[in-house]
CSV table of all heavy atoms in Angstrom, one decimal:
chain,number,residue,atom,x,y,z
A,1,TYR,N,-140.9,-69.7,58.5
A,1,TYR,CA,-140.5,-70.2,57.2
A,1,TYR,C,-139.0,-70.2,57.0
A,1,TYR,O,-138.4,-71.1,56.5
A,1,TYR,CB,-141.2,-69.4,56.1
A,1,TYR,CG,-141.0,-69.9,54.7
A,1,TYR,CD1,-141.8,-71.0,54.2
A,1,TYR,CD2,-140.2,-69.3,53.8
A,1,TYR,CE1,-141.6,-71.5,52.9
A,1,TYR,CE2,-140.0,-69.7,52.5
A,1,TYR,CZ,-140.7,-70.8,52.1
A,1,TYR,OH,-140.5,-71.3,50.8
A,2,ALA,N,-138.4,-69.0,57.3
A,2,ALA,CA,-136.9,-68.9,57.2
A,2,ALA,C,-136.2,-69.9,58.1
A,2,ALA,O,-135.1,-70.4,57.7
A,2,ALA,CB,-136.5,-67.5,57.5
A,3,GLN,N,-136.8,-70.2,59.3
A,3,GLN,CA,-136.1,-71.1,60.2
A,3,GLN,C,-136.1,-72.5,59.7
A,3,GLN,O,-135.1,-73.2,59.9
A,3,GLN,CB,-136.9,-71.0,61.5
A,3,GLN,CG,-136.3,-71.9,62.6
A,3,GLN,CD,-137.1,-71.8,63.9
A,3,GLN,OE1,-138.1,-71.0,64.0
A,3,GLN,NE2,-136.7,-72.6,64.9
A,4,HIS,N,-137.1,-73.0,59.0
A,4,HIS,CA,-137.2,-74.4,58.6
A,4,HIS,C,-137.1,-74.6,57.1
A,4,HIS,O,-137.1,-75.8,56.7
A,4,HIS,CB,-138.6,-74.9,59.0
A,4,HIS,CG,-138.8,-74.9,60.5
A,4,HIS,ND1,-138.0,-75.7,61.4
A,4,HIS,CD2,-139.7,-74.2,61.3
A,4,HIS,CE1,-138.4,-75.5,62.6
A,4,HIS,NE2,-139.4,-74.6,62.6
A,5,HIS,N,-136.9,-73.6,56.3
A,5,HIS,CA,-136.9,-73.7,54.9
A,5,HIS,C,-135.8,-74.6,54.4
A,5,HIS,O,-135.9,-75.5,53.6
A,5,HIS,CB,-136.9,-72.3,54.2
A,5,HIS,CG,-136.8,-72.4,52.7
A,5,HIS,ND1,-137.9,-72.8,51.9
A,5,HIS,CD2,-135.8,-72.1,51.8
A,5,HIS,CE1,-137.6,-72.8,50.7
A,5,HIS,NE2,-136.3,-72.3,50.5
A,6,ALA,N,-134.6,-74.3,54.9
A,6,ALA,CA,-133.4,-75.1,54.5
A,6,ALA,C,-133.5,-76.6,54.8
A,6,ALA,O,-133.2,-77.5,54.1
A,6,ALA,CB,-132.1,-74.5,55.1
A,7,ARG,N,-134.1,-76.8,56.0
A,7,ARG,CA,-134.2,-78.2,56.5
A,7,ARG,C,-135.2,-79.0,55.6
A,7,ARG,O,-135.0,-80.1,55.2
A,7,ARG,CB,-134.7,-78.2,57.9
A,7,ARG,CG,-134.9,-79.6,58.6
A,7,ARG,CD,-133.5,-80.2,58.8
A,7,ARG,NE,-133.0,-81.1,57.7
A,7,ARG,CZ,-131.8,-81.4,57.6
A,7,ARG,NH1,-130.8,-80.9,58.4
A,7,ARG,NH2,-131.4,-82.1,56.6
A,8,PHE,N,-136.3,-78.3,55.2
A,8,PHE,CA,-137.3,-79.0,54.4
A,8,PHE,C,-136.7,-79.2,53.0
A,8,PHE,O,-137.0,-80.3,52.4
A,8,PHE,CB,-138.6,-78.2,54.3
A,8,PHE,CG,-139.5,-78.3,55.5
A,8,PHE,CD1,-139.8,-77.2,56.3
A,8,PHE,CD2,-139.9,-79.5,55.9
A,8,PHE,CE1,-140.6,-77.3,57.4
A,8,PHE,CE2,-140.7,-79.7,57.0
A,8,PHE,CZ,-141.1,-78.6,57.8
A,9,ASN,N,-136.0,-78.3,52.5
A,9,ASN,CA,-135.4,-78.5,51.1
A,9,ASN,C,-134.4,-79.7,51.2
A,9,ASN,O,-134.3,-80.5,50.3
A,9,ASN,CB,-134.7,-77.2,50.7
A,9,ASN,CG,-135.6,-76.2,50.1
A,9,ASN,OD1,-136.8,-76.5,49.8
A,9,ASN,ND2,-135.2,-75.0,49.9
A,10,ALA,N,-133.6,-79.7,52.2
A,10,ALA,CA,-132.6,-80.8,52.4
A,10,ALA,C,-133.3,-82.1,52.5
A,10,ALA,O,-132.9,-83.1,51.9
A,10,ALA,CB,-131.7,-80.5,53.6
A,11,SER,N,-134.4,-82.2,53.3
A,11,SER,CA,-135.2,-83.4,53.4
A,11,SER,C,-135.7,-83.9,52.1
A,11,SER,O,-135.6,-85.1,51.8
A,11,SER,CB,-136.3,-83.1,54.4
A,11,SER,OG,-137.1,-84.3,54.5
A,12,SER,N,-136.2,-83.0,51.3
A,12,SER,CA,-136.7,-83.4,50.0
A,12,SER,C,-135.6,-84.0,49.1
A,12,SER,O,-135.8,-85.0,48.4
A,12,SER,CB,-137.4,-82.2,49.3
A,12,SER,OG,-137.8,-82.6,48.0
A,13,ALA,N,-134.4,-83.4,49.2
A,13,ALA,CA,-133.3,-83.8,48.4
A,13,ALA,C,-132.8,-85.2,48.8
A,13,ALA,O,-132.5,-86.1,48.0
A,13,ALA,CB,-132.1,-82.8,48.5
A,14,TYR,N,-132.8,-85.4,50.2
A,14,TYR,CA,-132.4,-86.7,50.7
A,14,TYR,C,-133.4,-87.8,50.3
A,14,TYR,O,-133.1,-89.0,50.0
A,14,TYR,CB,-132.2,-86.7,52.2
A,14,TYR,CG,-131.0,-86.0,52.6
A,14,TYR,CD1,-131.0,-84.9,53.6
A,14,TYR,CD2,-129.7,-86.3,52.1
A,14,TYR,CE1,-129.9,-84.3,54.0
A,14,TYR,CE2,-128.6,-85.7,52.6
A,14,TYR,CZ,-128.6,-84.7,53.5
A,14,TYR,OH,-127.5,-84.0,53.9
A,15,TYR,N,-134.7,-87.5,50.3
A,15,TYR,CA,-135.7,-88.4,49.9
A,15,TYR,C,-135.6,-88.8,48.5
A,15,TYR,O,-135.8,-90.0,48.1
A,15,TYR,CB,-137.1,-87.8,50.2
A,15,TYR,CG,-138.3,-88.7,49.9
A,15,TYR,CD1,-138.3,-90.0,50.4
A,15,TYR,CD2,-139.3,-88.3,49.1
A,15,TYR,CE1,-139.4,-90.8,50.2
A,15,TYR,CE2,-140.4,-89.1,48.8
A,15,TYR,CZ,-140.4,-90.4,49.3
A,15,TYR,OH,-141.5,-91.2,49.0
A,16,ASP,N,-135.2,-87.9,47.6
A,16,ASP,CA,-135.0,-88.2,46.2
A,16,ASP,C,-133.8,-89.2,46.1
A,16,ASP,O,-133.8,-90.1,45.3
A,16,ASP,CB,-134.7,-87.0,45.4
A,16,ASP,CG,-135.9,-86.1,45.2
A,16,ASP,OD1,-137.0,-86.6,45.4
A,16,ASP,OD2,-135.8,-84.9,44.9
A,17,LEU,N,-132.8,-89.0,46.9
A,17,LEU,CA,-131.6,-89.9,46.9
A,17,LEU,C,-132.0,-91.3,47.4
A,17,LEU,O,-131.6,-92.3,46.8
A,17,LEU,CB,-130.5,-89.4,47.8
A,17,LEU,CG,-129.8,-88.2,47.2
A,17,LEU,CD1,-128.8,-87.6,48.3
A,17,LEU,CD2,-129.0,-88.5,45.9
A,18,VAL,N,-132.9,-91.4,48.4
A,18,VAL,CA,-133.4,-92.7,48.9
A,18,VAL,C,-134.1,-93.4,47.8
A,18,VAL,O,-133.8,-94.6,47.5
A,18,VAL,CB,-134.3,-92.5,50.1
A,18,VAL,CG1,-135.0,-93.8,50.4
A,18,VAL,CG2,-133.5,-92.0,51.3
A,19,ASN,N,-135.0,-92.8,47.1
A,19,ASN,CA,-135.7,-93.4,46.0
A,19,ASN,C,-134.8,-93.8,44.8
A,19,ASN,O,-135.0,-94.9,44.2
A,19,ASN,CB,-136.8,-92.5,45.4
A,19,ASN,CG,-137.9,-92.3,46.4
A,19,ASN,OD1,-138.3,-93.2,47.2
A,19,ASN,ND2,-138.5,-91.1,46.4
A,20,ARG,N,-133.8,-93.0,44.6
A,20,ARG,CA,-132.8,-93.3,43.5
A,20,ARG,C,-132.0,-94.6,43.9
A,20,ARG,O,-131.8,-95.5,43.1
A,20,ARG,CB,-131.9,-92.1,43.2
A,20,ARG,CG,-131.1,-92.2,42.0
A,20,ARG,CD,-130.4,-91.0,41.7
A,20,ARG,NE,-131.3,-89.8,41.7
A,20,ARG,CZ,-130.9,-88.6,41.6
A,20,ARG,NH1,-129.6,-88.3,41.6
A,20,ARG,NH2,-131.7,-87.6,41.6
A,21,ARG,N,-131.6,-94.6,45.2
A,21,ARG,CA,-130.8,-95.8,45.6
A,21,ARG,C,-131.6,-97.1,45.6
A,21,ARG,O,-131.1,-98.2,45.3
A,21,ARG,CB,-130.2,-95.5,47.0
A,21,ARG,CG,-129.2,-94.4,47.0
A,21,ARG,CD,-128.0,-94.7,46.2
A,21,ARG,NE,-127.0,-93.7,46.3
A,21,ARG,CZ,-126.9,-92.6,45.5
A,21,ARG,NH1,-127.8,-92.4,44.5
A,21,ARG,NH2,-126.0,-91.7,45.6
A,22,ILE,N,-132.9,-97.0,46.0
A,22,ILE,CA,-133.8,-98.1,46.0
A,22,ILE,C,-134.0,-98.6,44.5
A,22,ILE,O,-134.0,-99.8,44.2
A,22,ILE,CB,-135.1,-97.8,46.6
A,22,ILE,CG1,-134.9,-97.6,48.1
A,22,ILE,CG2,-136.1,-98.9,46.4
A,22,ILE,CD1,-136.2,-97.2,48.9
A,23,ALA,N,-134.2,-97.7,43.6
A,23,ALA,CA,-134.3,-98.0,42.2
A,23,ALA,C,-133.1,-98.7,41.7
A,23,ALA,O,-133.1,-99.7,40.8
A,23,ALA,CB,-134.6,-96.8,41.3
A,24,ASP,N,-131.9,-98.3,42.2
A,24,ASP,CA,-130.6,-98.9,41.7
A,24,ASP,C,-130.5,-100.4,42.2
A,24,ASP,O,-129.7,-101.1,41.7
A,24,ASP,CB,-129.4,-98.1,42.2
A,24,ASP,CG,-129.3,-96.8,41.5
A,24,ASP,OD1,-129.9,-96.6,40.5
A,24,ASP,OD2,-128.7,-95.9,42.1
A,25,LEU,N,-131.2,-100.8,43.2
A,25,LEU,CA,-131.2,-102.1,43.7
A,25,LEU,C,-131.8,-103.1,42.8
A,25,LEU,O,-131.5,-104.3,42.8
A,25,LEU,CB,-131.9,-102.3,45.1
A,25,LEU,CG,-131.3,-101.5,46.3
A,25,LEU,CD1,-132.1,-101.7,47.5
A,25,LEU,CD2,-129.8,-102.1,46.6
A,26,HIS,N,-132.7,-102.7,41.9
A,26,HIS,CA,-133.4,-103.6,41.0
A,26,HIS,C,-134.1,-104.7,41.8
A,26,HIS,O,-133.9,-105.9,41.5
A,26,HIS,CB,-132.5,-104.1,39.9
A,26,HIS,CG,-131.8,-103.1,39.1
A,26,HIS,ND1,-130.7,-103.3,38.4
A,26,HIS,CD2,-132.2,-101.8,38.8
A,26,HIS,CE1,-130.3,-102.2,37.7
A,26,HIS,NE2,-131.2,-101.3,38.0
A,27,GLU,N,-135.0,-104.3,42.7
A,27,GLU,CA,-135.6,-105.3,43.6
A,27,GLU,C,-136.6,-106.2,42.9
A,27,GLU,O,-137.3,-105.7,42.0
A,27,GLU,CB,-136.3,-104.6,44.7
A,27,GLU,CG,-135.3,-104.0,45.8
A,27,GLU,CD,-136.1,-103.5,47.0
A,27,GLU,OE1,-136.9,-102.5,46.8
A,27,GLU,OE2,-136.0,-104.0,48.1
A,28,GLN,N,-136.7,-107.4,43.4
A,28,GLN,CA,-137.8,-108.3,43.0
A,28,GLN,C,-138.3,-109.0,44.2
A,28,GLN,O,-137.5,-109.4,45.1
A,28,GLN,CB,-137.2,-109.4,42.0
A,28,GLN,CG,-136.7,-108.8,40.7
A,28,GLN,CD,-136.1,-109.9,39.8
A,28,GLN,OE1,-136.2,-111.1,40.1
A,28,GLN,NE2,-135.3,-109.5,38.8
A,29,GLN,N,-139.6,-109.2,44.3
A,29,GLN,CA,-140.2,-109.8,45.5
A,29,GLN,C,-140.1,-111.3,45.4
A,29,GLN,O,-140.1,-111.9,44.3
A,29,GLN,CB,-141.7,-109.3,45.5
A,29,GLN,CG,-142.4,-109.7,46.9
A,29,GLN,CD,-143.8,-109.1,46.9
A,29,GLN,OE1,-144.3,-108.7,45.9
A,29,GLN,NE2,-144.4,-109.0,48.1
A,30,PHE,N,-140.0,-111.9,46.6
A,30,PHE,CA,-140.0,-113.4,46.7
A,30,PHE,C,-140.6,-113.8,48.0
A,30,PHE,O,-140.6,-113.0,49.0
A,30,PHE,CB,-138.6,-113.9,46.5
A,30,PHE,CG,-137.7,-113.7,47.8
A,30,PHE,CD1,-137.6,-114.7,48.8
A,30,PHE,CD2,-137.0,-112.5,47.9
A,30,PHE,CE1,-136.8,-114.5,49.9
A,30,PHE,CE2,-136.2,-112.4,49.0
A,30,PHE,CZ,-136.1,-113.3,50.0
A,31,GLY,N,-141.2,-114.9,48.0
A,31,GLY,CA,-141.7,-115.5,49.3
A,31,GLY,C,-142.8,-114.7,49.9
A,31,GLY,O,-143.1,-114.9,51.1
A,32,GLY,N,-143.5,-113.8,49.2
A,32,GLY,CA,-144.5,-113.0,49.8
A,32,GLY,C,-144.0,-112.0,50.8
A,32,GLY,O,-144.9,-111.3,51.5
A,33,LEU,N,-142.7,-111.8,50.8
A,33,LEU,CA,-142.2,-110.8,51.8
A,33,LEU,C,-142.2,-109.4,51.2
A,33,LEU,O,-142.1,-109.2,50.0
A,33,LEU,CB,-140.7,-111.2,52.1
A,33,LEU,CG,-140.5,-112.5,52.9
A,33,LEU,CD1,-139.1,-112.8,53.1
A,33,LEU,CD2,-141.2,-112.4,54.3
A,34,GLN,N,-142.3,-108.4,52.0
A,34,GLN,CA,-142.3,-107.0,51.6
A,34,GLN,C,-140.9,-106.6,51.2
A,34,GLN,O,-139.9,-106.8,51.9
A,34,GLN,CB,-142.8,-106.1,52.7
A,34,GLN,CG,-143.2,-104.7,52.3
A,34,GLN,CD,-143.9,-104.0,53.5
A,34,GLN,OE1,-143.6,-104.2,54.6
A,34,GLN,NE2,-144.8,-103.1,53.1
A,35,THR,N,-140.8,-105.9,50.1
A,35,THR,CA,-139.5,-105.4,49.7
A,35,THR,C,-139.1,-104.1,50.4
A,35,THR,O,-140.0,-103.5,51.0
A,35,THR,CB,-139.4,-105.2,48.1
A,35,THR,OG1,-140.3,-104.1,47.8
A,35,THR,CG2,-139.8,-106.4,47.4
A,36,ILE,N,-137.8,-103.7,50.3
A,36,ILE,CA,-137.4,-102.5,50.9
A,36,ILE,C,-138.1,-101.3,50.3
A,36,ILE,O,-138.6,-100.4,51.0
A,36,ILE,CB,-135.9,-102.3,50.7
A,36,ILE,CG1,-135.1,-103.4,51.5
A,36,ILE,CG2,-135.4,-100.9,51.2
A,36,ILE,CD1,-133.6,-103.4,51.3
A,37,GLY,N,-138.3,-101.3,48.9
A,37,GLY,CA,-139.0,-100.2,48.3
A,37,GLY,C,-140.5,-100.2,48.7
A,37,GLY,O,-141.0,-99.1,48.9
A,38,GLN,N,-141.1,-101.3,48.8
A,38,GLN,CA,-142.5,-101.3,49.3
A,38,GLN,C,-142.6,-100.8,50.7
A,38,GLN,O,-143.6,-100.1,51.1
A,38,GLN,CB,-143.1,-102.7,49.2
A,38,GLN,CG,-143.3,-103.2,47.8
A,38,GLN,CD,-143.7,-104.7,47.7
A,38,GLN,OE1,-143.4,-105.4,48.6
A,38,GLN,NE2,-144.2,-105.1,46.5
A,39,PHE,N,-141.7,-101.2,51.6
A,39,PHE,CA,-141.7,-100.8,52.9
A,39,PHE,C,-141.5,-99.2,53.0
A,39,PHE,O,-142.2,-98.6,53.7
A,39,PHE,CB,-140.6,-101.5,53.7
A,39,PHE,CG,-140.6,-101.1,55.2
A,39,PHE,CD1,-141.3,-101.7,56.1
A,39,PHE,CD2,-139.7,-100.0,55.6
A,39,PHE,CE1,-141.3,-101.4,57.5
A,39,PHE,CE2,-139.7,-99.6,56.9
A,39,PHE,CZ,-140.5,-100.3,57.9
A,40,MET,N,-140.6,-98.7,52.2
A,40,MET,CA,-140.3,-97.3,52.2
A,40,MET,C,-141.6,-96.5,51.7
A,40,MET,O,-141.9,-95.4,52.2
A,40,MET,CB,-139.1,-96.9,51.4
A,40,MET,CG,-137.8,-97.5,52.0
A,40,MET,SD,-137.4,-96.8,53.6
A,40,MET,CE,-135.9,-97.6,54.0
A,41,ASP,N,-142.2,-97.1,50.7
A,41,ASP,CA,-143.3,-96.4,50.1
A,41,ASP,C,-144.5,-96.4,51.1
A,41,ASP,O,-145.3,-95.4,51.1
A,41,ASP,CB,-143.7,-97.2,48.8
A,41,ASP,CG,-144.8,-96.4,48.0
A,41,ASP,OD1,-144.6,-95.3,47.6
A,41,ASP,OD2,-145.9,-97.0,47.9
A,42,ARG,N,-144.6,-97.4,51.9
A,42,ARG,CA,-145.7,-97.5,52.9
A,42,ARG,C,-145.4,-96.6,54.1
A,42,ARG,O,-146.3,-96.0,54.7
A,42,ARG,CB,-145.9,-98.9,53.3
A,42,ARG,CG,-147.1,-99.1,54.2
A,42,ARG,CD,-147.2,-100.6,54.6
A,42,ARG,NE,-148.2,-100.7,55.7
A,42,ARG,CZ,-148.4,-101.9,56.4
A,42,ARG,NH1,-147.6,-102.9,56.1
A,42,ARG,NH2,-149.3,-101.9,57.3
A,43,ARG,N,-144.1,-96.6,54.6
A,43,ARG,CA,-143.8,-96.0,55.8
A,43,ARG,C,-143.1,-94.6,55.7
A,43,ARG,O,-143.4,-93.7,56.4
A,43,ARG,CB,-142.9,-96.9,56.7
A,43,ARG,CG,-143.5,-98.2,57.0
A,43,ARG,CD,-144.7,-98.1,57.9
A,43,ARG,NE,-145.3,-99.4,58.1
A,43,ARG,CZ,-144.9,-100.3,59.1
A,43,ARG,NH1,-143.9,-99.9,59.9
A,43,ARG,NH2,-145.5,-101.4,59.2
A,44,LEU,N,-142.2,-94.5,54.8
A,44,LEU,CA,-141.4,-93.3,54.6
A,44,LEU,C,-142.2,-92.2,53.8
A,44,LEU,O,-142.2,-91.0,54.1
A,44,LEU,CB,-140.1,-93.6,53.9
A,44,LEU,CG,-139.1,-92.3,53.7
A,44,LEU,CD1,-138.8,-91.7,55.1
A,44,LEU,CD2,-137.9,-92.8,53.0
A,45,ALA,N,-142.9,-92.7,52.8
A,45,ALA,CA,-143.6,-91.7,51.9
A,45,ALA,C,-144.6,-90.9,52.7
A,45,ALA,O,-144.7,-89.7,52.5
A,45,ALA,CB,-144.2,-92.5,50.7
A,46,PRO,N,-145.4,-91.5,53.5
A,46,PRO,CA,-146.4,-90.6,54.3
A,46,PRO,C,-145.7,-89.6,55.1
A,46,PRO,O,-146.2,-88.4,55.3
A,46,PRO,CB,-147.2,-91.6,55.2
A,46,PRO,CG,-147.1,-92.9,54.4
A,46,PRO,CD,-145.7,-92.9,53.8
A,47,ALA,N,-144.5,-89.9,55.7
A,47,ALA,CA,-143.8,-89.0,56.5
A,47,ALA,C,-143.3,-87.8,55.7
A,47,ALA,O,-143.4,-86.6,56.1
A,47,ALA,CB,-142.6,-89.6,57.3
A,48,MET,N,-142.8,-88.1,54.5
A,48,MET,CA,-142.4,-87.1,53.6
A,48,MET,C,-143.5,-86.3,53.0
A,48,MET,O,-143.4,-85.1,52.8
A,48,MET,CB,-141.5,-87.7,52.4
A,48,MET,CG,-140.3,-88.5,52.9
A,48,MET,SD,-139.3,-87.7,54.1
A,48,MET,CE,-138.9,-86.2,53.2
């Protein structure tokens, strides 16, 4: 726990920054293509 605690806390903080930066993009979908936010929610969220 002591060995990995700092890394997991930093990972959670960076993930929050990713979501905040994606929200700042104000994305809108077009052409039936997957947005960056949708892609991250599908691929990055399970990893986190």
Side-chain angles (χ1 to χ4, degrees):
Y1 186 77
Q3 181 180 357
H4 299 293
H5 179 67
R7 183 72 268 159
F8 282 121
N9 280 349
S11 176
S12 177
Y14 286 129
Y15 182 53
D16 289 340
L17 287 174
V18 170
N19 290 329
R20 194 175 304 171
R21 296 297 183 269
I22 291 176
D24 290 340
L25 292 178
H26 300 158
E27 287 188 295
Q28 299 176 11
Q29 192 173 14
F30 73 91
L33 295 174
Q34 195 175 29
T35 66
I36 296 175
Q38 291 171 341
F39 181 87
M40 294 297 178
D41 187 60
R42 181 184 174 189
R43 302 293 178 88
L44 180 60
M48 301 312 301

